Amino acid sequence: MSVPLPLASAREVLHELRKSLPRGWWRLPSLIAVVLSAAASGVVGPLALGVVVDAIGAGDDAPPLAWTLAAVMAGAVVTGAVLTAVGMVSASQLFESALADLRERMVDTALHLPPARVERAGTGDLIARAGDDVAQVSDAIPRVVPALVGAAFTIAVTLVGMAVIDPWYAVALIAITPLHVFAVRRYLRHAPGVYAAERAAMAERAQHLLDTLRGLETVRAYRTAPSHLDRISTASWAVVRWSMRARGIQNLFFARLNAAEFLGMAGLLVVGFVLVANGHGSVGGTTAAMLLFLRLFGPINELLFVVDDLQSALASLSRIVGVIRTAAPRDPVSESSRGPAGVDPLGTEPNDVDPRDVDPRDVDLRGITHAYDAGHPVLHDVSLRIAAGERVAVVGASGAGKSTLAAIAAGVHDPLVGEVDRPRSVALVTQDVHVFDADLRDNLTLAAPGATDDEVHAALRRVGAEDIVARLARGLDEPVGASGTPLSPSEAQHLALARVLLADPAFIVLDEATAEAGSTEAGRLEDAASAAIGGRTALVVAHRLSQAASADRVVLLDAGRVHEEGTHDDLRTAGGAYARLWDAWSRST
């Protein structure tokens, strides 16, 4: 069962947003000033038109006044449009920069999370947060900030303007405020949970899609497409149901806002009629009040509508920041990993090992027990020490725990019980290597960004892969990966081993790193793996027993326990399980 990555609280979201604006916070006051000026220009037109109506009603013959007011109104419209555009652009620049920083920090955190945690959450959860959630925030933020500031100011200025015309107009406007408050409170009661559930459903759908596409060949081979399609369909309909529920909440919210608008307009008309009929007001004043109220339709609706955008954006921000806040402090001094909590979970005393007898390149696994599901351990009290420069091969039947031991040795998983001491510089190569959608040079220099072309060519020569460059029209500049020139499984493995040479780790773990090669390529790839190890401390999960024969020591795992251990020759002479395994493999080859 997947365990999604956590959600951040509103306080944590605000804290991370402030951190993402270290160079742009000073632009906020100027942005607010621009938005406020745009809002102020919007109330000029209704007030000027009210003066014109009263002048005409009084029979005044004042064309200069009319032309002057017309010019003022036109200038206010143009000024408001320009300032609104400037505010939108400024808000986009400021907050898109902050969002880009958040996204980069989220990806950086995700890359440093323990792989086991990412596996429990599912890569679909991360992809949805980096894709759908970032897009939602990117769409909403440039609208939300100007709307919140501008609409709030426009409402305040309009209320003051109505009170200047006549206090009763302001009273009529205030009278419908409870309707807006009711609409917003009802909306906020249900919307956040629905939006959060909608985002989670999107992540679940993305996970099922990724699982199916990544294992497409297996799905076809075992004819499990119908079951995968059922899961995708179920997840997709879950997204539809939550989306429809969100749209229903929105429609009900908007209906209440429309009702408030109708009652507000009716109230102003009644107040204006009473005031004019009793000689306490003018037609021009009523006209100005009505125009101001009509002018409020936009800001009020915009203010309340962006509540919807704001809720959706906050739900997405909570998911984005949730990844960032997942990062645990990393100790830059410590060279070892001592279980998931940094302590011995068995409560035993530390080994009495003289630090002077320990080479920093040594690898020491002590009392390792691990399980992916509670009650079903994969490894049982496994201890293994690899001396600096020693190559240890791990063999055993499928399900014996070889890959789990390799993952724990490499630091991919933390053991449930036991301790692991390893060098800080570790490289892991598995049978599932990835060719990135980039040119060949970028694929190789991922491990060493500062590597020169000469160093890249030297690494390729050492693993016997210089022919890859030779067959590509543009050499290191040739695009490879999904949208470039395809590479064979053997060539992809050679690239991975060349990366190891460029990274130059102290400890290397090869987990069946030569398994993808066909029989014709097996020898070349095993030679490449030996070249990549090159005297380093190494743990090799052997896909072919020829790798075990060339190792300094062989460990045979059986049902998660060390069954035999020794050199290849000693184990063959002993006539035990390894000897039988070697004889069977030798006959088959």
Side-chain angles (χ1 to χ4, degrees):
M1 181 178 179
S2 63
V3 182
L5 291 165
L7 304 178
S9 65
R11 178 175 296 180
E12 290 171 336
V13 169
L14 183 60
H15 175 74
E16 296 299 333
L17 279 175
R18 282 202 301 264
K19 286 177 62 177
S20 293
L21 290 171
R23 299 179 181 177
W25 65 267
W26 54 268
R27 294 163 60 184
L28 279 173
S30 60
L31 172 61
I32 293 173
V34 169
V35 174
L36 292 181
S37 300
S41 64
V43 301
V44 173
L47 295 175
L49 191 57
V51 174
V52 171
V53 170
D54 281 339
I56 294 173
D60 295 339
D61 185 13
L65 176 62
W67 284 109
T68 301
L69 291 175
V72 170
M73 293 167 61
V77 170
V78 173
T79 301
V82 171
L83 292 176
T84 299
V86 171
M88 291 290 289
V89 171
S90 299
S92 296
Q93 291 177 340
L94 180 60
F95 292 105
E96 285 291 349
S97 299
L99 180 59
D101 180 76
L102 279 176
R103 177 167 48 192
E104 290 171 5
R105 289 197 285 132
M106 181 191 73
V107 173
D108 179 69
T109 300
L111 291 175
H112 288 91
L113 285 176
R117 181 66 187 94
V118 177
E119 288 178 6
R120 288 198 303 271
T123 51
D125 188 21
L126 269 177
I127 289 175
R129 295 184 189 224
D132 294 338
D133 290 316
V134 169
Q136 181 62 41
V137 177
S138 180
D139 290 341
I141 290 299
R143 296 196 304 267
V144 168
V145 175
L148 287 175
V149 177
F153 183 74
T154 300
I155 292 171
V157 170
T158 300
L159 186 62
V160 172
M162 285 186 172
V164 169
I165 297 171
D166 194 288
W168 284 108
Y169 292 122
V171 172
L173 181 61
I174 294 173
I176 63 169
T177 301
L179 297 177
H180 290 103
V181 173
F182 173 77
V184 173
R185 290 188 62 182
R186 294 288 294 182
Y187 173 79
L188 293 180
R189 181 179 300 177
H190 303 288
V194 172
Y195 280 121
E198 183 183 23
R199 299 290 179 273
M202 289 178 177
E204 184 73 12
R205 178 183 62 186
Q207 184 63 50
H208 287 304
L209 283 169
L210 285 173
D211 289 343
T212 302
L213 293 175
R214 285 175 175 172
L216 192 57
E217 294 182 359
T218 303
V219 170
R220 289 172 175 169
Y222 289 93
R223 298 181 180 179
T224 58
S227 62
H228 282 270
L229 290 174
D230 286 342
R231 285 194 288 270
I232 293 171
S233 177
T234 300
S236 297
W237 277 109
V239 174
V240 171
R241 285 193 295 272
W242 283 113
S243 297
M244 293 302 295
R245 188 170 175 183
R247 301 299 86 75
I249 293 174
Q250 288 176 2
N251 291 338
L252 187 58
F253 177 52
F254 296 153
R256 287 168 176 155
L257 296 183
N258 291 335
E261 290 174 359
F262 170 76
L263 293 176
M265 184 177 292
L268 283 176
L269 286 173
V270 170
V271 170
F273 177 80
V274 172
L275 289 175
V276 173
N278 290 283
H280 298 300
S282 66
V283 175
T286 303
T287 302
M290 284 300 300
L291 290 174
L292 285 173
F293 183 73
L294 291 173
R295 174 68 177 79
L296 277 183
F297 279 10
I300 289 178
N301 287 342
E302 193 174 13
L303 179 62
L304 298 177
F305 286 178
V306 297
V307 171
D308 179 68
D309 289 331
L310 185 60
Q311 288 300 311
S312 183
L314 287 176
S316 293
L317 277 172
S318 176
R319 288 165 53 79
I320 294 170
V321 174
V323 177
I324 296 173
R325 303 289 290 190
T326 305
R330 295 188 291 274
D331 185 358
V333 178
S334 174
E335 294 275 344
S336 66
S337 168
R338 301 187 177 276
V343 296
D344 180 0
L346 295 178
T348 57
E349 293 297 324
N351 290 358
D352 294 327
V353 179
D354 190 334
R356 292 171 294 180
D357 297 332
V358 177
D359 191 300
R361 296 173 297 163
D362 287 354
V363 177
D364 193 9
L365 292 83
R366 300 184 293 279
I368 302 301
T369 295
H370 191 70
Y372 297 103
D373 296 318
H376 301 279
V378 179
L379 295 175
H380 305 264
D381 194 26
V382 174
S383 294
L384 178 64
R385 184 177 180 84
I386 308 175
E390 183 182 20
R391 183 187 308 189
V392 173
V394 179
V395 299
S398 296
K402 304 187 298 296
S403 292
T404 300
L405 182 63
I408 291 175
V412 173
H413 295 310
D414 289 323
L416 294 181
V417 176
E419 296 181 344
V420 181
D421 290 334
R422 70 177 75 83
R424 178 178 299 176
S425 176
V426 181
L428 169 66
V429 182
T430 69
Q431 60 180 320
D432 298 318
V433 299
H434 184 70
V435 178
F436 293 89
D437 196 12
D439 62 43
L440 184 63
R441 179 186 291 100
D442 288 342
N443 264 276
L444 289 163
T445 55
L446 285 170
T452 65
D453 284 358
D454 288 342
E455 291 170 333
V456 170
H457 283 291
L460 288 170
R461 281 195 299 272
R462 286 184 62 187
V463 298
E466 63 272 17
D467 57 330
I468 298 177
V469 181
R471 81 172 182 85
L472 298 177
R474 285 182 279 180
L476 293 178
D477 295 317
E478 181 79 12
V480 294
S483 61
T485 301
L487 300 181
S488 69
S490 175
E491 289 175 328
Q493 291 286 359
H494 276 93
L495 286 187
L497 294 169
R499 289 187 192 122
V500 171
L501 288 174
L502 290 170
D504 192 23
F507 176 41
I508 178 172
V509 179
L510 302 182
D511 183 6
E512 297 191 347
T514 63
E516 289 296 320
S519 57
T520 58
E521 293 288 334
R524 285 190 62 211
L525 203 50
E526 288 182 16
D527 290 342
S530 295
I533 291 172
R536 296 179 177 85
T537 308
L539 177 67
V540 180
V541 176
H543 177 68
R544 295 175 177 82
L545 289 190
S546 55
Q547 293 174 297
S550 62
D552 299 311
R553 186 156 41 105
V554 179
V555 173
L556 173 66
L557 285 183
D558 182 32
R561 291 182 169 87
V562 176
H563 189 64
E564 293 182 359
E565 183 176 359
T567 66
H568 168 73
D569 292 336
D570 289 344
L571 292 180
R572 284 192 62 197
T573 303
Y578 178 78
R580 292 191 295 273
L581 189 64
W582 174 263
D583 290 340
W585 183 81
S586 299
R587 287 194 299 270
S588 68
T589 56

